[in-house]
């Protein structure tokens, strides 16, 4: 058995398909986001503008967040010291869970080390606690949700994306006595569309199903206090479990769920992904806590971000670029070819100082490869005009106008 050859062939497949992923070596400039510097070549760092960060509101640069993290570092030190059960529980963790529960109007919340872990651990554990459970999963759900459902070992029914008629068809055909869970996202981050939350909850009520919503690309971003699309639509009270992240709009790191205390206690007590891992550093938790508190009270960042996204979409459409329809802060630009998507990304970085990563399979289906822009409140109109002009020039250079 030639193990090296097997590994080499696996990597070569990615290269041949044009979807080998390259991590860009950058450092953000504190307090000056989206400005950063890229370490490419041998001529020292080169200034660049970041266009693909999930730190949507630049809260990772906010002075209140940084100050809270610095204070925690000097107060309690760097690490948590263990799992939540053994040495890793701090007052910071407890206070953040209270804030998150309040954010979503729930009785309780539970912190995880990432949004991926919170989805995987919660969905896999929940289904195991419900004998004979059937999970109805939107076909565009995130990989972490798919992993959690798979790890639960329960029956899975996949419904066409945002297709309520198909969802009801599957619900109606299922055993009426079986426990049911409808799992979906609020904002689908690659297309920028939104789930019809109230309509899904109506079906859940009609067929006695629990609901699980992934709000990772919406928390901090939507609603009067940043509780997500369920906050904006006044639907949070209808949803059984709300899952979110602290690593995107809140600008730090971590994941969480919010639900009634009975469910929180079950996940806390049974989920291996929670029980057997070191808890988040109190430094991170302090930063996330400051960010959540700030965005509950301030809408300036959300309004600035929405204005920036609207402006960039308009500029791209006016320039004839293939910007996809999006009703959210996500600005996807369709390319449809993995090699061309990587080439455009490389040219933007090397020649224009623009950093945006190509999005390829398996993140999106083959043939729908794209560039995904996330303009924030700190991206200026001048930056957007320079970006749009650069894209037009590259599109013409690569003779993609007709294809677009």
């Amino acid at each position: 058995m030639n193990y090296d050859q097997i590994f080499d062939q696996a990597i070569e497949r990615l290269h041949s398909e044009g979807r080998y992923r390259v991590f860009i070596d950058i450092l953000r400039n504190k307090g000056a986001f989206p400005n950063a510097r890229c370490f490419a070549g041998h001529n020292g760092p080169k200034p660049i503008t970041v266009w693909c960060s999930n730190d949507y509101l630049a809260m990772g640069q906010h002075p209140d967040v940084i100050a809270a993290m610095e204070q925690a570092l000097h107060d309690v030190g760097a690490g948590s010291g263990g799992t939540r059960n053994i040495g890793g529980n701090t007052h910071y963790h407890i206070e953040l869970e209270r804030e998150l529960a309040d954010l979503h109007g729930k009785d309780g919340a539970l912190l995880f080390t990432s949004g991926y872990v919170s989805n995987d651990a919660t969905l896999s554990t929940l289904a195991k606690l419900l004998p004979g459970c059937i999970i109805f999963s939107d076909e565009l759900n995130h990989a972490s949700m798919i992993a959690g459902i798979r790890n639960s070992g329960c029956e899975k029914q996949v419904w066409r994306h945002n297709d309520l008629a198909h969802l009801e068809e599957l619900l109606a055909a299922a055993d009426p006595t079986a426990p049911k869970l409808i799992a979906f996202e609020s904002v689908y981050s690659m297309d920028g569309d939104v789930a019809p939350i109230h309509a899904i909850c109506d079906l859940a009520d009609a067929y006695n199903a629990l609901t699980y919503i992934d709000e990772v690309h919406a928390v901090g971003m939507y609603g009067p206090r940043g509780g997500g699309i369920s906050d904006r639509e006044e639907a949070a009270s209808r949803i059984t479990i709300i899952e979110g992240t602290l690593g995107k709009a809140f600008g730090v790191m971590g994941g969480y769920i919010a639900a009634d205390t009975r469910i929180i206690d079950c996940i806390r007590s049974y989920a291996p992904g929670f029980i057997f891992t070191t808890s988040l550093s109190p430094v991170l938790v302090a930063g996330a806590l400051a960010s959540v508190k700030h965005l509950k009270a301030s809408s300036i960042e959300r309004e600035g971000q929405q204005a920036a996204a609207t402006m960039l979409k308009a500029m791209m459409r006016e320039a004839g670029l293939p910007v996809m329809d999006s009703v959210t802060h996500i600005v996807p630009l369709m390319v449809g070819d993995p090699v061309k998507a990587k080439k455009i990304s490389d040219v933007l970085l090397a020649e224009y100082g623009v950093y945006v990563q190509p999005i390829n399979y398996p993140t999106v289906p083959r043939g729908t490869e794209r560039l995904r822009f996330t303009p924030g409140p700190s991206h200026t109109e001048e930056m957007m005009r320079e970006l749009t002009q650069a894209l037009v020039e590259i599109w013409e250079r690569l003779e993609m106008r007709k294809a677009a």
Side-chain angles (χ1 to χ4, degrees), residues 25 44 78 80 88 171 185 200 281 284 306 324 333 339 369 373:
D25 185 359
S80 69
L171 287 166
E185 299 183 38
I200 292 172
S281 160
L284 294 171
Q306 290 294 327
M324 299 169 61
L333 196 62
V339 176
E369 292 83 5
F373 297 89

Side-chain angles (χ1 to χ4, degrees), residues 19-315:
R19 59 187 186 93
Y20 180 77
R21 300 183 183 212
V22 177
F23 297 158
I24 306 301
D25 185 359
I26 69 171
L27 287 173
R28 298 197 293 178
N29 299 332
K30 178 185 171 184
F33 187 78
N35 296 316
R37 52 203 189 273
C38 176
F39 294 82
H42 304 285
N43 298 320
K46 170 187 174 181
I48 62 170
T49 303
V50 178
W51 282 98
C52 57
S53 175
N54 284 340
D55 186 359
Y56 295 129
L57 304 178
M59 289 302 295
Q61 302 288 311
H62 196 282
D64 289 355
V65 174
I66 293 172
M69 295 179 76
E70 289 177 340
Q71 181 179 350
L73 178 63
H74 293 292
D75 183 25
V76 300
S80 69
T83 66
R84 289 288 292 276
N85 186 53
I86 305 176
N89 190 52
T90 73
H91 184 67
Y92 290 108
H93 293 77
I94 294 169
E95 189 176 357
L96 178 54
E97 286 174 341
R98 287 173 181 162
E99 286 289 339
L100 291 168
D102 174 75
L103 176 65
H104 296 293
K106 299 297 184 184
D107 296 330
L110 191 65
L111 284 174
F112 294 83
T113 51
S114 74
Y116 190 105
V117 174
S118 55
N119 271 334
D120 186 1
T122 303
L123 285 167
S124 61
T125 301
L126 195 66
K128 288 175 181 176
L129 293 173
L130 298 169
C133 181
I134 305 170
I135 296 183
F136 298 84
S137 176
D138 186 287
E139 68 176 336
L140 293 189
N141 277 344
H142 190 262
S144 57
M145 299 176 75
I146 295 170
I149 295 168
R150 182 186 301 118
N151 291 336
S152 75
C154 74
E155 180 182 347
K156 177 181 70 173
Q157 298 278 343
V158 178
W159 48 291
R160 290 186 293 271
H161 177 53
N162 279 351
D163 187 334
L164 296 175
H166 188 219
L167 173 59
E168 182 164 22
E169 179 184 327
L170 295 175
L171 287 166
D175 180 354
T177 65
K180 301 173 184 65
L181 174 68
I182 302 173
F184 62 104
E185 299 183 38
S186 60
V187 172
Y188 289 85
S189 65
M190 292 302 132
D191 293 338
D193 58 344
V194 173
I197 298 177
H198 277 294
I200 292 172
C201 289
D202 289 342
L203 290 176
D205 292 343
Y207 291 91
N208 193 27
L210 303 177
T211 48
Y212 183 102
I213 189 170
D214 176 320
E215 287 259 39
V216 296
H217 290 278
V219 290
M221 302 290 294
Y222 299 93
R225 299 198 306 157
I229 300 295
S230 59
D231 182 19
R232 186 187 73 180
E233 303 297 319
E234 298 182 347
S237 63
R238 304 188 66 190
I239 297 168
T240 312
I241 300 174
I242 297 174
E243 185 267 349
T245 183
L246 303 166
K248 292 182 170 60
F250 291 125
V252 190
M253 181 181 176
Y256 67 89
I257 59 169
D260 70 40
T261 52
R262 185 182 295 105
I263 290 175
I264 294 296
D265 202 18
C266 282
I267 302 302
R268 182 187 70 86
S269 302
Y270 282 94
F274 174 81
I275 297 170
F276 298 107
T277 191
T278 300
S279 67
L280 284 169
S281 160
V283 176
L284 294 171
V285 178
L289 178 60
S291 183
V292 171
K293 286 182 175 179
H294 177 84
L295 289 176
K296 276 184 176 181
S298 172
S299 294
I300 294 174
E301 293 82 6
R302 286 189 282 277
E303 292 167 359
Q305 198 283 330
Q306 290 294 327
T310 299
M311 180 179 292
L312 184 59
K313 290 174 192 175
M315 286 186 185

